[in-house]
Amino acid sequence: MNGFPSARSIAESIRTGERSARSVLDEHLARINERENEVHAFNLVLAEQAASSADEIDRRIARGENPGPLAGVPVALKDNLCTRGIPTTCSSKILQDWKPPYDATVVTRLANAGAVIVGKTNLDEFAMGSSTENSAFGPTRNPLDVTRVPGGSSGGSAAAVAAGFASLSLGSDTGGSIRQPAALCGVVGVKPTYGAVSRLGLIAFASSLDQIGPFTHDVADAALMLEVIAGHDPGDSTSIPQHFPSLAPSLDRGVSGLRIGRITDLPEGADQDVVDAVDAAFDTLAAAGAEIIDVTIPAFTYGLTAYYLIAPAEASSNLARYDGVRFGSRVAASDTNAMYMATRGAGFGPEVKRRIMLGTYALSAGYYDAYYGKALKVRRLMANDFAAAYEHVDVLITPASPSVAFPFGSKTEDPLAMYLCDTYTIPSNLTGHPAMSVPFGTGEHGLPIGVQVLAPAFGEPTMFAVAAELERSAARGEHV
Ligand code: GLN
């Protein structure tokens, strides 16, 4: 959509020998050289390592081998995905010098499919944020308008694809961190069903919510990349031992006969341009043969509150390991307790500290039932409400983000305003259901709008059928 070739066409041209993997890589590195200074999508560009992977792909092609579905495709990885011997920082000072001893399962799967890893992308520290302004290494800028944020927390991964620095990238989504930046950067972003993609080697933020997923130029590339990374992994106890459905057949299915839900009690707060785009999406799907059905999901409204207790609670536990002993750059002090405090005080930024304090409070004796326990009950109600809605519909449509990309600094002084970015994305993390953002027209300042498609667990085939239909209609100009 933004003029860059699809990963499918890149892999095809490399497999057929029409192009070399090295020339494709060089083209991407040239774009990085040209614009990375202003965009700052990466914490680390792996130019040399990528060149040797690309050369290896070219040697395999010359030997008549097939390197796989992503042969020679340049891919960027969010810097909370472990890469063996290569710094993995979570955009935090506390992990600045850390090199993981192993690759995340998704990294191994990408390499086995022939992908060329070009670098590690910037994020909000430990994936906490919606703008990438919380990175300890400086913000990422939106390639479509560098005065505005790319969204977050996977802002670097979204920007890398939108700027043509990589053909594909991976992010992680705990409360919307793939779908919201995808919406703000005008690319496709998918949060798969919880357990569909292995979390082994994803540095944990909130383990019961975290899921890895793709950023791509189009829906078919997202299907391809998800098929590569999904599937059971015995190394992740929450990985589902079920065959991941094939997505390619869904792409041309259309939406005829599908029942598409409109949530009548969706929380307010989306800007008018976003509301209009979502209305246009319903119109175009109805015109393509879908039936639009009104449903209610009363618990939707409480998702944000429940998330901002559950996610910090899990984070406070997960981040306890950065103590300067097992993990984390140590700050020396007179005794062990002083060392812990100095290490954590210097190593974590303000948002991470806020989350740890919130989570510790919510879990503490005397408050556990009132806060964490109550949030878990809301999570249960959310699951019940979605299950009831899915008795009547196949997918649901909502905005992905309440607004288009916003200017730097406009929400940094008010954490609650930043948290409101997650209103429409959080429920799918609480239920574990898949959801994706697909570009659908533009709003204020000509900036892209993402429409979110939500489906029940392992409903990815239908979700992709609907997203592909929206993409076709957007290409025909049937949006607002
Ligand atoms: N913006 C949300 C948060 O700050 C979501 C982050 C994420 O999905 N990693 O927690």
Side-chain angles (χ1 to χ4, degrees), residues 240-264:
I240 297 177
Q242 173 176 331
H243 179 69
F244 189 74
S246 163
L247 301 174
S250 302
L251 300 172
D252 299 320
R253 179 209 178 278
V255 294
S256 159
L258 289 183
R259 300 164 305 164
I260 298 185
R262 184 201 307 263
I263 304 173
T264 52

Side-chain angles (χ1 to χ4, degrees), residues 127-130 153 172-177 205 307-308 355 422:
M128 297 172 186
S130 304
S153 66
S172 63
D173 191 312
T174 305
S177 279
F205 163 10
Y307 171 89
Y308 277 96
R355 304 285 179 111
D422 310 327

